[in-house]
């Protein structure tokens, strides 16, 4: 809607100071509308480790959307204390730099939390590169050896189907 960004721009500071749910929605709308004026506020929210995780994750994603260079944002996100931020960083890495993401995603499958493993597996299924398919194949082998918990079984099947390779389809059938 034309002019919507101007209509809400003046109200953004109040919305960002509101409850976490309102703040999250305001951040998402501002990013969707490309309101660059919000970047300093987003940076503060993201840096505030005592802020609600949903607000920090929304700020991280909005910064990624509004920034041309996400290199530093990715570095900060990958090492953040919040699992939600680290997972958002995995998603951003897979979207912006899939070549670099494959190794990180494979490592996450081995050493991440259940939620991070599930995300990494799903993301590998979206990267149409032989290295990503190889990482998924290795995850299947680890799963079959009992090295990965049953909580990732459905994620492996879904990722294999998304990747669509014959090798992965065979692993699913087995």
């Amino acid at each position: 809607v034309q002019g919507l960004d101007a209509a809400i721009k003046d109200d953004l500071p109040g919305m960002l100071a509101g409850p976490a749910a309102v703040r999250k929605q305001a951040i998402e709308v501002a990013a969707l509308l490309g309101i660059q004026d919000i970047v300093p506020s987003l940076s503060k929210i993201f840096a505030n480790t005592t802020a609600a995780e949903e607000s920090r994750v929304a700020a991280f994603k909005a910064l990624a959307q509004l920034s041309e260079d996400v290199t530093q944002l990715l570095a900060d996100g990958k090492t953040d204390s919040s699992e939600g931020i680290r997972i958002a960083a995995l998603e951003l890495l897979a979207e912006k730099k899939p070549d670099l993401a494959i190794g990180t995603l494979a490592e996450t499958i081995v050493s991440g939390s259940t939620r991070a493993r599930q995300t990494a597996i799903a993301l590998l299924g979206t990267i149409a590169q032989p290295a990503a398919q190889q990482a998924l194949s290795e995850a299947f082998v680890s799963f079959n050896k009992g090295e990965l918990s049953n909580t990732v079984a459905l994620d492996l099947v879904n990722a294999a189907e998304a990747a669509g390779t014959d090798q992965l389809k065979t692993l699913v059938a087995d």
Side-chain angles (χ1 to χ4, degrees), residues 10-157:
D10 291 339
D11 294 323
L12 277 174
M15 289 186 269
L16 293 176
V22 172
R23 185 177 318 119
K24 180 181 180 279
Q25 288 296 319
I27 291 168
E28 291 171 356
V29 169
L32 184 66
L33 296 173
I35 300 175
Q36 292 290 326
D37 296 353
I38 197 173
V39 169
S41 295
L42 294 175
S43 296
K44 287 179 186 173
I45 293 167
F46 173 61
N48 181 358
T49 57
T50 62
E53 183 177 56
E54 66 181 13
S55 296
R56 292 189 67 231
V57 170
F60 178 85
K61 289 179 177 182
L63 284 167
Q65 220 174 321
L66 295 171
S67 303
E68 288 183 31
D69 183 14
V70 295
T71 305
Q72 186 59 51
L73 184 63
L74 277 169
D76 293 343
K78 285 171 54 177
T79 60
D80 197 89
S81 61
S82 161
E83 181 178 41
I85 297 287
R86 291 190 309 273
I87 287 173
L90 288 175
E91 293 167 346
L92 179 62
L93 183 63
E95 176 189 335
K96 300 285 186 180
K97 301 179 180 193
D99 292 347
L100 297 176
I102 295 167
T104 301
L105 294 171
E107 181 181 310
T108 301
I109 292 170
V110 173
S111 62
S113 68
T114 298
R115 183 175 161 210
R117 286 176 177 181
Q118 291 171 320
T119 300
I121 290 167
L123 291 170
L124 281 169
T126 67
I127 300 174
Q129 294 184 21
Q133 295 154 5
Q134 180 61 37
L136 279 174
S137 294
E138 290 170 10
F140 265 102
V141 170
S142 294
F143 178 77
N144 288 332
K145 288 181 179 179
E147 296 169 354
L148 292 176
S149 86
N150 290 338
T151 58
V152 301
L154 183 59
D155 302 289
L156 282 168
V157 170

